[in-house]
Amino acid sequence: MMRLDKNSGFIVYGFPLGEADQLVTCFTSSGNLIKFVAKGSRKVKSKSAAAVQLFILGEYVIYRGRGLPILRQADIIDSFSPLRLDWSKSGAAFAVMELCRLLIAEEAREQDAFKLVLSYMLHLKTNDYDPIVFDSFRLKFAACLGYEMGFSFCAQCGRPLQSGWLYWPAGGAVCSVCKGPDDKKFLRQEDLSLLDILGEKDFIELRGHFRSQGKTATKIIDSLINWLTEGKTKAQAFRPLFEG
Ligand SMILES: [Zn+2]
């Protein structure tokens, strides 16, 4: 059966096909990951080239027949151009797109995750890049996908935590009894409360705060992302570069 369908979403990945084409991955507003061929999109004068660049939000009309779906028409909704002129912001946007590509399944219907990505991208458009806000995004993104982590109570037995040990498979932090014999990262009370705050507060409220504890939070959330992506993320390694 042949059909045309219209999708709006973010371009999260482009893979070269032959000399002029790309196989493009798009995270749609319905929360799914779709792939289609953008013919001629690697040619300089191509009309569709601009619309299938990374982290463009666009509307894409896809033709589905036999073989791979083909892009028929593309319109840019938002090119997020202020992000493209700023090294830190574009670094963060690339990392966000990579997370979508690695963690969203094809028919996932992760609409909340899409809304979160959109709100973080809009935040980046009008605010300076702030590592703590980026870390809050990553923690919330995991939560949207069903990996909501808790840091106030032991994820295993439920007792309140003054301090704890990081244990992602249990769902956050665990107490000394539930910790088990393996080596786990120790979390002080201030780390636990910062992680809770990062999961709860809006991006705008976090901006400019918690600078001194930021590095610890980043390491902890890096380890969450590594656990979720099974170490496949590359953007994380470049973060020291875009944070200067
Ligand atoms: Zn416990």
Side-chain angles (χ1 to χ4, degrees), residues 235-244:
Q236 229 155 256
F238 294 107
R239 195 165 161 188
L241 290 177
F242 70 75
E243 284 182 1

Side-chain angles (χ1 to χ4, degrees), residues 12-241:
V12 300
Y13 192 60
F15 184 81
L17 278 186
E19 291 209 343
D21 306 341
Q22 270 187 99
L23 180 61
V24 172
T25 307
C26 174
F27 180 31
T28 70
S29 55
S30 39
N32 302 317
L33 219 53
I34 60 167
K35 287 182 183 172
F36 51 83
V37 177
K39 288 200 180 284
S41 64
R42 288 165 65 218
K43 288 183 187 154
V44 178
K45 285 184 179 168
S46 150
K47 265 165 75 184
S48 64
V52 296
Q53 286 183 75
L54 275 177
F55 69 83
I56 289 278
L57 177 64
E59 194 169 76
Y60 305 96
V61 178
I62 314 292
Y63 171 79
R64 295 180 190 274
R66 288 182 206 155
L68 289 166
I70 310 266
L71 178 66
R72 273 291 170 82
Q73 197 191 320
D75 292 297
I76 294 174
I77 298 169
D78 195 333
S79 63
F80 292 91
S81 51
L83 277 60
R84 292 172 201 275
L85 304 170
D86 181 306
W87 181 239
S88 309
K89 290 183 183 197
S90 52
F94 283 129
V96 171
M97 297 301 126
E98 187 194 47
L99 284 181
C100 297
R101 176 170 71 88
L102 293 175
L103 294 175
I104 305 288
E106 281 191 22
E107 300 287 340
R109 297 189 185 159
E110 303 284 7
Q111 286 177 336
D112 288 343
F114 181 87
K115 284 181 199 152
L116 180 71
V117 168
L118 180 60
S119 76
Y120 181 62
M121 292 292 284
L122 292 172
H123 174 90
L124 271 181
K125 231 170 114 174
T126 47
N127 295 279
D128 287 343
Y129 169 76
D130 186 330
I132 211 85
V133 178
F134 179 62
D135 288 331
S136 164
F137 163 79
R138 297 195 298 165
L139 193 59
K140 288 170 181 160
F141 189 69
C144 277
L145 303 181
Y147 298 96
E148 188 167 354
M149 298 298 172
F151 305 97
S152 305
F153 301 95
C154 171
Q156 209 96 288
C157 71
R159 83 182 69 193
L161 293 173
Q162 301 302 321
S163 58
W165 283 264
L166 209 51
Y167 190 33
W168 300 125
V174 293
C175 71
S176 56
V177 179
C178 298
K179 171 186 171 288
D182 325 342
D183 202 21
K184 291 183 178 65
K185 183 173 170 50
F186 177 72
L187 299 171
R188 301 163 300 168
Q189 185 158 35
E190 64 213 80
D191 302 328
L192 295 171
S193 55
L194 177 60
L195 288 162
D196 271 333
I197 289 168
L198 292 186
E200 282 161 15
K201 289 219 187 280
D202 291 342
F203 297 144
I204 205 81
E205 295 176 283
L206 291 166
R207 209 170 42 116
H209 296 293
F210 313 104
R211 279 280 152 79
S212 59
Q213 280 172 273
K215 291 253 187 273
T216 315
T218 295
K219 273 191 195 151
I220 292 167
I221 294 169
D222 277 357
S223 90
L224 170 62
I225 298 298
N226 270 323
W227 176 69
L228 287 175
T229 62
E230 295 164 341
K232 287 192 194 108
T233 166
K234 292 193 183 80
Q236 229 155 256
F238 294 107
R239 195 165 161 188
L241 290 177

